[in-house]
Amino acid sequence: MQNIPHIPVLYREIVDAFSDIKDGIVIDCTLGYGGHSSMILENNPNIKLIGIDQDQTAIDFSSKRLEEFGDRVEIRKGRFSQVIKEILQEVDAKEIKGVLADIGVSSLQLDQKDRGFSYESDNLDMRMDKDAPLSAADVVNSYSQSELERILLEYGELRNYKKIASEIIKNRPFTSAKELSEALKPHMPKGKKIHPATLLMQAIRIEVNDELGELKSLLQSIKEARLPEAKIGIISFHSLEDRIVKKEFASWAKSCICPSEAFRCECGNNHQLGKVLSKKPITAQSDELKENARSRSAKLRLFQMDI
């Protein structure tokens, strides 16, 4: 494990977004290696932070990294969609002043070849929680043609999803991500800046970790909790996630939720939860783009609850 962890994406933007929180609790739904959390704790000396992660390696690392903040930090293991529900049952909604989620796989998970996230990996795993039952090998080697087509189309947005699914079935079993990406490289989109296998790996990873389902569940839990003053920040890394966040935030900002064909408002016109703080996603500045390639696709959307 590296002694000095990577700098988290959009670090200045996150610190700035949460800088006006003077007290209460901030929940970091994707603790990772504690980058965002440590910066928020340093910049907001009177807040407590609850960090959530399903990766025990990340939890072990962050527990040591955040030791200096003492009892201001609490770390919980599990899927954030479930753990946040538990937290919201235990804590007064008025105490929660911020919720942050950095959706997707971390840089250090990508760098650990044995985790199977990278297309150069000798493994085929991709589980964010090593104890989870479903792995990338299960998906690739046991899913039917129609199941593979579904994830390649929905999660990879690959136009030739039927051909790719057929090639997977014809050439399996696969034992490594490297073997899979090399076998399917001729059938991947060409001419993009990203590696040809990126969308394939993305589709499989989303399926393994139910990433979109987790995001939707998180947003639903926040909505139902009706946090009166919380600032919500979601960082996404591809269009599927960003569309979900954009659509949900827009719905939270609506006061009237009557069908568009309704002749007049009958819902009470009092459903607005707050306001969208970033009509366009916030992206990395030029110096960060040079220092951290992962920040190229990072998009931050912010919502201020005001109930």
Side-chain angles (χ1 to χ4, degrees), residues 33 52-59 76-83 104-106 109 112 114-117 124-136 138 205 207-211 214:
Y33 290 83
I52 304 169
D53 210 288
Q54 58 181 316
D55 187 334
Q56 188 60 49
T57 303
I59 288 175
R76 302 197 186 189
K77 185 176 189 289
R79 288 179 175 263
F80 56 69
S81 65
Q82 181 58 42
V83 177
V105 63
S106 76
Q109 284 172 330
Q112 292 173 8
D114 63 317
R115 300 297 296 273
F117 287 102
L124 191 54
D125 193 329
M126 299 192 194
R127 290 174 296 175
M128 293 181 183
D129 178 356
K130 292 181 180 180
D131 296 324
L134 184 69
S135 72
D138 297 324
R205 194 196 75 225
E207 175 71 9
V208 168
N209 298 288
D210 188 25
E211 292 176 31
E214 284 285 292

mmCIF file of all heavy atoms in Angstrom, residues 33 52-59 76-83 104-106 109 112 114-117 124-136 138 205 207-211 214:
data_model
loop_
_atom_site.group_PDB
_atom_site.id
_atom_site.type_symbol
_atom_site.label_atom_id
_atom_site.label_comp_id
_atom_site.label_asym_id
_atom_site.label_seq_id
_atom_site.Cartn_x
_atom_site.Cartn_y
_atom_site.Cartn_z
ATOM 1 N N TYR A 33 -10.050 6.185 0.153
ATOM 2 C CA TYR A 33 -8.814 6.319 0.903
ATOM 3 C C TYR A 33 -8.757 7.624 1.695
ATOM 4 O O TYR A 33 -7.692 8.103 2.048
ATOM 5 C CB TYR A 33 -7.621 6.140 -0.032
ATOM 6 C CG TYR A 33 -7.518 4.709 -0.475
ATOM 7 C CD1 TYR A 33 -8.286 4.231 -1.536
ATOM 8 C CD2 TYR A 33 -6.718 3.799 0.201
ATOM 9 C CE1 TYR A 33 -8.245 2.901 -1.907
ATOM 10 C CE2 TYR A 33 -6.665 2.466 -0.167
ATOM 11 C CZ TYR A 33 -7.428 2.028 -1.226
ATOM 12 O OH TYR A 33 -7.392 0.693 -1.595
ATOM 13 N N ILE A 52 -18.433 5.921 4.820
ATOM 14 C CA ILE A 52 -18.976 4.608 4.458
ATOM 15 C C ILE A 52 -18.145 4.030 3.318
ATOM 16 O O ILE A 52 -17.825 4.740 2.353
ATOM 17 C CB ILE A 52 -20.445 4.715 3.993
ATOM 18 C CG1 ILE A 52 -21.318 5.397 5.056
ATOM 19 C CG2 ILE A 52 -21.006 3.345 3.637
ATOM 20 C CD1 ILE A 52 -22.705 5.762 4.549
ATOM 21 N N ASP A 53 -17.811 2.757 3.413
ATOM 22 C CA ASP A 53 -17.169 2.071 2.288
ATOM 23 C C ASP A 53 -17.390 0.580 2.429
ATOM 24 O O ASP A 53 -17.510 0.068 3.544
ATOM 25 C CB ASP A 53 -15.674 2.373 2.215
ATOM 26 C CG ASP A 53 -15.156 2.322 0.786
ATOM 27 O OD1 ASP A 53 -15.062 1.206 0.230
ATOM 28 O OD2 ASP A 53 -14.861 3.378 0.210
ATOM 29 N N GLN A 54 -17.442 -0.124 1.306
ATOM 30 C CA GLN A 54 -17.606 -1.577 1.334
ATOM 31 C C GLN A 54 -16.290 -2.309 1.147
ATOM 32 O O GLN A 54 -16.238 -3.542 1.254
ATOM 33 C CB GLN A 54 -18.622 -2.018 0.280
ATOM 34 C CG GLN A 54 -18.283 -1.611 -1.147
ATOM 35 C CD GLN A 54 -19.347 -2.047 -2.137
ATOM 36 O OE1 GLN A 54 -19.832 -3.170 -2.081
ATOM 37 N NE2 GLN A 54 -19.737 -1.169 -3.032
ATOM 38 N N ASP A 55 -15.228 -1.565 0.892
ATOM 39 C CA ASP A 55 -13.912 -2.145 0.644
ATOM 40 C C ASP A 55 -13.108 -2.122 1.944
ATOM 41 O O ASP A 55 -12.723 -1.052 2.420
ATOM 42 C CB ASP A 55 -13.202 -1.341 -0.453
ATOM 43 C CG ASP A 55 -11.896 -1.966 -0.899
ATOM 44 O OD1 ASP A 55 -11.278 -2.690 -0.088
ATOM 45 O OD2 ASP A 55 -11.484 -1.721 -2.042
ATOM 46 N N GLN A 56 -12.832 -3.291 2.505
ATOM 47 C CA GLN A 56 -12.128 -3.357 3.789
ATOM 48 C C GLN A 56 -10.720 -2.783 3.688
ATOM 49 O O GLN A 56 -10.213 -2.176 4.644
ATOM 50 C CB GLN A 56 -12.067 -4.804 4.294
ATOM 51 C CG GLN A 56 -11.527 -4.940 5.705
ATOM 52 C CD GLN A 56 -12.365 -4.199 6.731
ATOM 53 O OE1 GLN A 56 -13.579 -4.334 6.770
ATOM 54 N NE2 GLN A 56 -11.718 -3.408 7.580
ATOM 55 N N THR A 57 -10.063 -2.952 2.546
ATOM 56 C CA THR A 57 -8.728 -2.386 2.355
ATOM 57 C C THR A 57 -8.763 -0.874 2.478
ATOM 58 O O THR A 57 -7.904 -0.260 3.130
ATOM 59 C CB THR A 57 -8.161 -2.783 0.975
ATOM 60 O OG1 THR A 57 -8.149 -4.204 0.847
ATOM 61 C CG2 THR A 57 -6.749 -2.245 0.794
ATOM 62 N N ALA A 58 -9.763 -0.257 1.874
ATOM 63 C CA ALA A 58 -9.910 1.195 1.958
ATOM 64 C C ALA A 58 -10.211 1.626 3.388
ATOM 65 O O ALA A 58 -9.685 2.641 3.869
ATOM 66 C CB ALA A 58 -11.020 1.655 1.018
ATOM 67 N N ILE A 59 -11.062 0.871 4.073
ATOM 68 C CA ILE A 59 -11.410 1.203 5.459
ATOM 69 C C ILE A 59 -10.190 1.130 6.358
ATOM 70 O O ILE A 59 -9.947 2.016 7.189
ATOM 71 C CB ILE A 59 -12.526 0.273 5.974
ATOM 72 C CG1 ILE A 59 -13.853 0.627 5.302
ATOM 73 C CG2 ILE A 59 -12.658 0.347 7.488
ATOM 74 C CD1 ILE A 59 -14.997 -0.297 5.637
ATOM 75 N N ARG A 76 -18.037 3.234 8.804
ATOM 76 C CA ARG A 76 -18.920 2.065 8.752
ATOM 77 C C ARG A 76 -18.700 1.302 7.441
ATOM 78 O O ARG A 76 -18.529 1.906 6.389
ATOM 79 C CB ARG A 76 -20.375 2.480 8.859
ATOM 80 C CG ARG A 76 -20.700 3.255 10.135
ATOM 81 C CD ARG A 76 -22.175 3.264 10.385
ATOM 82 N NE ARG A 76 -22.548 4.116 11.505
ATOM 83 C CZ ARG A 76 -23.762 4.152 12.021
ATOM 84 N NH1 ARG A 76 -24.725 3.390 11.519
ATOM 85 N NH2 ARG A 76 -24.043 4.940 13.040
ATOM 86 N N LYS A 77 -18.755 -0.011 7.537
ATOM 87 C CA LYS A 77 -18.549 -0.862 6.356
ATOM 88 C C LYS A 77 -19.889 -1.311 5.781
ATOM 89 O O LYS A 77 -20.798 -1.693 6.512
ATOM 90 C CB LYS A 77 -17.718 -2.095 6.711
ATOM 91 C CG LYS A 77 -17.366 -2.965 5.507
ATOM 92 C CD LYS A 77 -16.466 -4.117 5.929
ATOM 93 C CE LYS A 77 -15.920 -4.869 4.713
ATOM 94 N NZ LYS A 77 -16.914 -5.669 4.000
ATOM 95 N N GLY A 78 -19.997 -1.254 4.465
ATOM 96 C CA GLY A 78 -21.190 -1.734 3.785
ATOM 97 C C GLY A 78 -21.501 -0.929 2.552
ATOM 98 O O GLY A 78 -20.812 0.040 2.226
ATOM 99 N N ARG A 79 -22.521 -1.334 1.840
ATOM 100 C CA ARG A 79 -22.982 -0.581 0.669
ATOM 101 C C ARG A 79 -23.630 0.711 1.154
ATOM 102 O O ARG A 79 -24.461 0.687 2.061
ATOM 103 C CB ARG A 79 -23.993 -1.400 -0.129
ATOM 104 C CG ARG A 79 -23.387 -2.567 -0.898
ATOM 105 C CD ARG A 79 -24.462 -3.340 -1.631
ATOM 106 N NE ARG A 79 -23.895 -4.385 -2.473
ATOM 107 C CZ ARG A 79 -23.666 -4.267 -3.778
ATOM 108 N NH1 ARG A 79 -23.963 -3.132 -4.395
ATOM 109 N NH2 ARG A 79 -23.155 -5.247 -4.482
ATOM 110 N N PHE A 80 -23.286 1.820 0.527
ATOM 111 C CA PHE A 80 -23.788 3.096 1.043
ATOM 112 C C PHE A 80 -25.304 3.202 0.964
ATOM 113 O O PHE A 80 -25.928 3.875 1.777
ATOM 114 C CB PHE A 80 -23.108 4.294 0.367
ATOM 115 C CG PHE A 80 -23.201 4.356 -1.137
ATOM 116 C CD1 PHE A 80 -24.393 4.606 -1.783
ATOM 117 C CD2 PHE A 80 -22.060 4.208 -1.913
ATOM 118 C CE1 PHE A 80 -24.464 4.697 -3.166
ATOM 119 C CE2 PHE A 80 -22.111 4.302 -3.303
ATOM 120 C CZ PHE A 80 -23.324 4.544 -3.926
ATOM 121 N N SER A 81 -25.919 2.509 0.005
ATOM 122 C CA SER A 81 -27.379 2.584 -0.121
ATOM 123 C C SER A 81 -28.062 2.018 1.120
ATOM 124 O O SER A 81 -29.152 2.478 1.501
ATOM 125 C CB SER A 81 -27.851 1.822 -1.363
ATOM 126 O OG SER A 81 -27.578 0.432 -1.235
ATOM 127 N N GLN A 82 -27.423 1.016 1.754
ATOM 128 C CA GLN A 82 -27.999 0.414 2.948
ATOM 129 C C GLN A 82 -27.564 1.143 4.216
ATOM 130 O O GLN A 82 -28.374 1.423 5.099
ATOM 131 C CB GLN A 82 -27.594 -1.059 3.038
ATOM 132 C CG GLN A 82 -28.175 -1.795 4.243
ATOM 133 C CD GLN A 82 -29.694 -1.747 4.282
ATOM 134 O OE1 GLN A 82 -30.359 -1.911 3.261
ATOM 135 N NE2 GLN A 82 -30.257 -1.506 5.464
ATOM 136 N N VAL A 83 -26.264 1.448 4.320
ATOM 137 C CA VAL A 83 -25.735 2.056 5.542
ATOM 138 C C VAL A 83 -26.336 3.431 5.779
ATOM 139 O O VAL A 83 -26.625 3.807 6.919
ATOM 140 C CB VAL A 83 -24.191 2.134 5.494
ATOM 141 C CG1 VAL A 83 -23.648 2.835 6.746
ATOM 142 C CG2 VAL A 83 -23.590 0.735 5.377
ATOM 143 N N GLY A 104 -18.256 5.337 -8.287
ATOM 144 C CA GLY A 104 -17.376 4.629 -9.209
ATOM 145 C C GLY A 104 -16.175 4.015 -8.517
ATOM 146 O O GLY A 104 -16.005 4.096 -7.302
ATOM 147 N N VAL A 105 -15.312 3.406 -9.294
ATOM 148 C CA VAL A 105 -14.137 2.709 -8.776
ATOM 149 C C VAL A 105 -13.036 3.723 -8.481
ATOM 150 O O VAL A 105 -12.882 4.711 -9.191
ATOM 151 C CB VAL A 105 -13.651 1.658 -9.795
ATOM 152 C CG1 VAL A 105 -13.204 2.303 -11.093
ATOM 153 C CG2 VAL A 105 -12.543 0.797 -9.217
ATOM 154 N N SER A 106 -12.285 3.497 -7.406
ATOM 155 C CA SER A 106 -11.225 4.429 -7.029
ATOM 156 C C SER A 106 -9.956 4.162 -7.832
ATOM 157 O O SER A 106 -9.751 3.077 -8.366
ATOM 158 C CB SER A 106 -10.918 4.324 -5.531
ATOM 159 O OG SER A 106 -10.171 3.159 -5.270
ATOM 160 N N GLN A 109 -8.007 1.236 -6.469
ATOM 161 C CA GLN A 109 -8.581 -0.058 -6.842
ATOM 162 C C GLN A 109 -8.171 -0.426 -8.257
ATOM 163 O O GLN A 109 -7.870 -1.577 -8.559
ATOM 164 C CB GLN A 109 -10.108 -0.015 -6.719
ATOM 165 C CG GLN A 109 -10.612 -0.083 -5.284
ATOM 166 C CD GLN A 109 -12.101 0.148 -5.177
ATOM 167 O OE1 GLN A 109 -12.699 0.867 -5.980
ATOM 168 N NE2 GLN A 109 -12.718 -0.446 -4.177
ATOM 169 N N GLN A 112 -4.560 -1.670 -8.230
ATOM 170 C CA GLN A 112 -4.299 -2.981 -7.633
ATOM 171 C C GLN A 112 -4.722 -4.064 -8.627
ATOM 172 O O GLN A 112 -5.898 -4.388 -8.749
ATOM 173 C CB GLN A 112 -5.062 -3.126 -6.307
ATOM 174 C CG GLN A 112 -4.553 -2.206 -5.219
ATOM 175 C CD GLN A 112 -5.408 -2.241 -3.974
ATOM 176 O OE1 GLN A 112 -6.309 -3.064 -3.847
ATOM 177 N NE2 GLN A 112 -5.133 -1.346 -3.048
ATOM 178 N N ASP A 114 -4.638 -7.169 -8.727
ATOM 179 C CA ASP A 114 -5.326 -8.375 -8.274
ATOM 180 C C ASP A 114 -6.817 -8.167 -8.089
ATOM 181 O O ASP A 114 -7.569 -9.133 -7.939
ATOM 182 C CB ASP A 114 -4.709 -8.874 -6.963
ATOM 183 C CG ASP A 114 -4.878 -7.872 -5.828
ATOM 184 O OD1 ASP A 114 -4.690 -6.670 -6.059
ATOM 185 O OD2 ASP A 114 -5.201 -8.315 -4.701
ATOM 186 N N ARG A 115 -7.284 -6.897 -8.132
ATOM 187 C CA ARG A 115 -8.711 -6.630 -7.976
ATOM 188 C C ARG A 115 -9.485 -6.835 -9.274
ATOM 189 O O ARG A 115 -10.710 -6.928 -9.273
ATOM 190 C CB ARG A 115 -8.934 -5.200 -7.456
ATOM 191 C CG ARG A 115 -8.289 -4.905 -6.114
ATOM 192 C CD ARG A 115 -8.846 -5.762 -5.001
ATOM 193 N NE ARG A 115 -10.253 -5.510 -4.749
ATOM 194 C CZ ARG A 115 -10.698 -4.556 -3.929
ATOM 195 N NH1 ARG A 115 -9.848 -3.791 -3.275
ATOM 196 N NH2 ARG A 115 -11.997 -4.400 -3.745
ATOM 197 N N GLY A 116 -8.780 -6.859 -10.396
ATOM 198 C CA GLY A 116 -9.419 -7.178 -11.668
ATOM 199 C C GLY A 116 -10.222 -6.058 -12.293
ATOM 200 O O GLY A 116 -11.044 -6.292 -13.181
ATOM 201 N N PHE A 117 -9.997 -4.802 -11.860
ATOM 202 C CA PHE A 117 -10.736 -3.680 -12.445
ATOM 203 C C PHE A 117 -10.097 -3.195 -13.748
ATOM 204 O O PHE A 117 -10.768 -2.736 -14.650
ATOM 205 C CB PHE A 117 -10.793 -2.499 -11.465
ATOM 206 C CG PHE A 117 -11.724 -2.703 -10.303
ATOM 207 C CD1 PHE A 117 -11.240 -3.045 -9.059
ATOM 208 C CD2 PHE A 117 -13.090 -2.546 -10.465
ATOM 209 C CE1 PHE A 117 -12.095 -3.232 -7.983
ATOM 210 C CE2 PHE A 117 -13.958 -2.725 -9.404
ATOM 211 C CZ PHE A 117 -13.460 -3.073 -8.158
ATOM 212 N N LEU A 124 -10.069 -11.533 -12.948
ATOM 213 C CA LEU A 124 -11.345 -11.085 -13.494
ATOM 214 C C LEU A 124 -12.338 -11.062 -12.331
ATOM 215 O O LEU A 124 -13.097 -12.000 -12.125
ATOM 216 C CB LEU A 124 -11.804 -12.039 -14.602
ATOM 217 C CG LEU A 124 -12.987 -11.609 -15.472
ATOM 218 C CD1 LEU A 124 -12.749 -10.245 -16.098
ATOM 219 C CD2 LEU A 124 -13.268 -12.644 -16.548
ATOM 220 N N ASP A 125 -12.284 -9.967 -11.556
ATOM 221 C CA ASP A 125 -13.043 -9.904 -10.315
ATOM 222 C C ASP A 125 -13.984 -8.689 -10.302
ATOM 223 O O ASP A 125 -15.182 -8.814 -10.443
ATOM 224 C CB ASP A 125 -12.073 -9.860 -9.131
ATOM 225 C CG ASP A 125 -12.767 -10.109 -7.804
ATOM 226 O OD1 ASP A 125 -13.957 -9.737 -7.672
ATOM 227 O OD2 ASP A 125 -12.142 -10.654 -6.880
ATOM 228 N N MET A 126 -13.424 -7.493 -10.063
ATOM 229 C CA MET A 126 -14.151 -6.217 -10.093
ATOM 230 C C MET A 126 -15.107 -6.005 -8.924
ATOM 231 O O MET A 126 -15.908 -5.070 -8.961
ATOM 232 C CB MET A 126 -14.927 -6.031 -11.404
ATOM 233 C CG MET A 126 -14.092 -6.011 -12.649
ATOM 234 S SD MET A 126 -15.060 -5.433 -14.069
ATOM 235 C CE MET A 126 -14.002 -5.913 -15.410
ATOM 236 N N ARG A 127 -15.045 -6.813 -7.896
ATOM 237 C CA ARG A 127 -15.914 -6.592 -6.736
ATOM 238 C C ARG A 127 -15.336 -5.492 -5.858
ATOM 239 O O ARG A 127 -14.190 -5.588 -5.421
ATOM 240 C CB ARG A 127 -16.066 -7.874 -5.922
ATOM 241 C CG ARG A 127 -16.870 -8.967 -6.600
ATOM 242 C CD ARG A 127 -16.841 -10.244 -5.791
ATOM 243 N NE ARG A 127 -15.477 -10.787 -5.704
ATOM 244 C CZ ARG A 127 -15.160 -11.834 -4.969
ATOM 245 N NH1 ARG A 127 -16.079 -12.450 -4.244
ATOM 246 N NH2 ARG A 127 -13.906 -12.281 -4.952
ATOM 247 N N MET A 128 -16.130 -4.464 -5.566
ATOM 248 C CA MET A 128 -15.696 -3.436 -4.625
ATOM 249 C C MET A 128 -15.675 -3.995 -3.207
ATOM 250 O O MET A 128 -14.865 -3.586 -2.382
ATOM 251 C CB MET A 128 -16.614 -2.215 -4.722
ATOM 252 C CG MET A 128 -16.496 -1.492 -6.045
ATOM 253 S SD MET A 128 -17.548 -0.043 -6.134
ATOM 254 C CE MET A 128 -17.217 0.485 -7.821
ATOM 255 N N ASP A 129 -16.577 -4.919 -2.934
ATOM 256 C CA ASP A 129 -16.579 -5.666 -1.682
ATOM 257 C C ASP A 129 -16.107 -7.078 -2.005
ATOM 258 O O ASP A 129 -16.790 -7.832 -2.705
ATOM 259 C CB ASP A 129 -17.987 -5.692 -1.076
ATOM 260 C CG ASP A 129 -18.064 -6.497 0.213
ATOM 261 O OD1 ASP A 129 -17.046 -7.100 0.608
ATOM 262 O OD2 ASP A 129 -19.150 -6.524 0.823
ATOM 263 N N LYS A 130 -14.934 -7.450 -1.505
ATOM 264 C CA LYS A 130 -14.357 -8.754 -1.841
ATOM 265 C C LYS A 130 -15.217 -9.922 -1.378
ATOM 266 O O LYS A 130 -15.043 -11.052 -1.844
ATOM 267 C CB LYS A 130 -12.958 -8.868 -1.229
ATOM 268 C CG LYS A 130 -11.929 -7.946 -1.857
ATOM 269 C CD LYS A 130 -10.572 -8.144 -1.204
ATOM 270 C CE LYS A 130 -9.519 -7.229 -1.805
ATOM 271 N NZ LYS A 130 -8.189 -7.402 -1.174
ATOM 272 N N ASP A 131 -16.132 -9.660 -0.438
ATOM 273 C CA ASP A 131 -16.995 -10.728 0.071
ATOM 274 C C ASP A 131 -18.304 -10.852 -0.705
ATOM 275 O O ASP A 131 -19.120 -11.729 -0.407
ATOM 276 C CB ASP A 131 -17.311 -10.483 1.549
ATOM 277 C CG ASP A 131 -16.063 -10.551 2.420
ATOM 278 O OD1 ASP A 131 -15.180 -11.376 2.122
ATOM 279 O OD2 ASP A 131 -15.964 -9.771 3.390
ATOM 280 N N ALA A 132 -18.521 -9.971 -1.665
ATOM 281 C CA ALA A 132 -19.760 -10.019 -2.443
ATOM 282 C C ALA A 132 -19.803 -11.296 -3.283
ATOM 283 O O ALA A 132 -18.760 -11.794 -3.729
ATOM 284 C CB ALA A 132 -19.863 -8.791 -3.341
ATOM 285 N N PRO A 133 -20.995 -11.852 -3.526
ATOM 286 C CA PRO A 133 -21.085 -13.148 -4.212
ATOM 287 C C PRO A 133 -20.813 -13.103 -5.708
ATOM 288 O O PRO A 133 -20.316 -14.082 -6.275
ATOM 289 C CB PRO A 133 -22.532 -13.581 -3.939
ATOM 290 C CG PRO A 133 -23.280 -12.302 -3.703
ATOM 291 C CD PRO A 133 -22.307 -11.386 -3.032
ATOM 292 N N LEU A 134 -21.143 -11.987 -6.363
ATOM 293 C CA LEU A 134 -21.036 -11.923 -7.831
ATOM 294 C C LEU A 134 -19.733 -11.259 -8.253
ATOM 295 O O LEU A 134 -19.420 -10.144 -7.819
ATOM 296 C CB LEU A 134 -22.226 -11.137 -8.398
ATOM 297 C CG LEU A 134 -22.311 -11.072 -9.929
ATOM 298 C CD1 LEU A 134 -22.643 -12.435 -10.518
ATOM 299 C CD2 LEU A 134 -23.370 -10.032 -10.355
ATOM 300 N N SER A 135 -18.967 -11.936 -9.112
ATOM 301 C CA SER A 135 -17.722 -11.379 -9.649
ATOM 302 C C SER A 135 -17.834 -11.193 -11.153
ATOM 303 O O SER A 135 -18.770 -11.681 -11.794
ATOM 304 C CB SER A 135 -16.551 -12.314 -9.341
ATOM 305 O OG SER A 135 -16.633 -13.477 -10.142
ATOM 306 N N ALA A 136 -16.845 -10.492 -11.713
ATOM 307 C CA ALA A 136 -16.824 -10.301 -13.161
ATOM 308 C C ALA A 136 -16.702 -11.644 -13.884
ATOM 309 O O ALA A 136 -17.276 -11.827 -14.960
ATOM 310 C CB ALA A 136 -15.664 -9.386 -13.544
ATOM 311 N N ASP A 138 -18.017 -14.431 -12.982
ATOM 312 C CA ASP A 138 -19.364 -15.015 -13.013
ATOM 313 C C ASP A 138 -20.186 -14.424 -14.156
ATOM 314 O O ASP A 138 -20.881 -15.141 -14.884
ATOM 315 C CB ASP A 138 -20.082 -14.764 -11.688
ATOM 316 C CG ASP A 138 -19.399 -15.438 -10.512
ATOM 317 O OD1 ASP A 138 -18.883 -16.550 -10.697
ATOM 318 O OD2 ASP A 138 -19.375 -14.839 -9.422
ATOM 319 N N ARG A 205 -18.404 -4.007 -14.762
ATOM 320 C CA ARG A 205 -18.210 -3.510 -13.386
ATOM 321 C C ARG A 205 -19.506 -2.979 -12.784
ATOM 322 O O ARG A 205 -19.820 -3.224 -11.621
ATOM 323 C CB ARG A 205 -17.168 -2.396 -13.398
ATOM 324 C CG ARG A 205 -16.630 -2.021 -12.030
ATOM 325 C CD ARG A 205 -15.925 -0.682 -12.062
ATOM 326 N NE ARG A 205 -16.878 0.394 -12.146
ATOM 327 C CZ ARG A 205 -16.763 1.440 -12.965
ATOM 328 N NH1 ARG A 205 -15.761 1.522 -13.816
ATOM 329 N NH2 ARG A 205 -17.677 2.399 -12.953
ATOM 330 N N GLU A 207 -22.507 -3.920 -13.539
ATOM 331 C CA GLU A 207 -23.355 -5.071 -13.250
ATOM 332 C C GLU A 207 -22.908 -5.776 -11.965
ATOM 333 O O GLU A 207 -23.733 -6.096 -11.103
ATOM 334 C CB GLU A 207 -23.313 -6.060 -14.419
ATOM 335 C CG GLU A 207 -24.059 -7.359 -14.187
ATOM 336 C CD GLU A 207 -25.569 -7.210 -14.167
ATOM 337 O OE1 GLU A 207 -26.082 -6.115 -14.510
ATOM 338 O OE2 GLU A 207 -26.244 -8.197 -13.811
ATOM 339 N N VAL A 208 -21.620 -5.994 -11.829
ATOM 340 C CA VAL A 208 -21.085 -6.700 -10.662
ATOM 341 C C VAL A 208 -21.441 -5.977 -9.365
ATOM 342 O O VAL A 208 -21.828 -6.597 -8.371
ATOM 343 C CB VAL A 208 -19.550 -6.861 -10.784
ATOM 344 C CG1 VAL A 208 -18.937 -7.317 -9.461
ATOM 345 C CG2 VAL A 208 -19.206 -7.837 -11.899
ATOM 346 N N ASN A 209 -21.323 -4.659 -9.374
ATOM 347 C CA ASN A 209 -21.510 -3.876 -8.147
ATOM 348 C C ASN A 209 -22.864 -3.172 -8.053
ATOM 349 O O ASN A 209 -23.093 -2.434 -7.095
ATOM 350 C CB ASN A 209 -20.383 -2.843 -8.035
ATOM 351 C CG ASN A 209 -19.018 -3.485 -7.932
ATOM 352 O OD1 ASN A 209 -18.669 -4.069 -6.917
ATOM 353 N ND2 ASN A 209 -18.245 -3.402 -9.009
ATOM 354 N N ASP A 210 -23.741 -3.409 -9.051
ATOM 355 C CA ASP A 210 -25.056 -2.770 -9.087
ATOM 356 C C ASP A 210 -24.921 -1.266 -8.843
ATOM 357 O O ASP A 210 -25.646 -0.671 -8.032
ATOM 358 C CB ASP A 210 -25.993 -3.392 -8.044
ATOM 359 C CG ASP A 210 -27.435 -2.889 -8.177
ATOM 360 O OD1 ASP A 210 -27.820 -2.467 -9.285
ATOM 361 O OD2 ASP A 210 -28.162 -2.884 -7.160
ATOM 362 N N GLU A 211 -24.013 -0.637 -9.545
ATOM 363 C CA GLU A 211 -23.662 0.758 -9.273
ATOM 364 C C GLU A 211 -24.812 1.726 -9.516
ATOM 365 O O GLU A 211 -25.024 2.660 -8.731
ATOM 366 C CB GLU A 211 -22.434 1.163 -10.098
ATOM 367 C CG GLU A 211 -21.175 0.440 -9.648
ATOM 368 C CD GLU A 211 -19.977 0.766 -10.509
ATOM 369 O OE1 GLU A 211 -19.900 1.883 -11.044
ATOM 370 O OE2 GLU A 211 -19.100 -0.108 -10.662
ATOM 371 N N GLU A 214 -27.399 1.243 -6.799
ATOM 372 C CA GLU A 214 -26.912 1.840 -5.555
ATOM 373 C C GLU A 214 -27.119 3.354 -5.556
ATOM 374 O O GLU A 214 -27.556 3.943 -4.564
ATOM 375 C CB GLU A 214 -25.419 1.539 -5.391
ATOM 376 C CG GLU A 214 -25.116 0.139 -4.952
ATOM 377 C CD GLU A 214 -25.415 -0.065 -3.480
ATOM 378 O OE1 GLU A 214 -24.715 0.508 -2.636
ATOM 379 O OE2 GLU A 214 -26.377 -0.777 -3.175
#
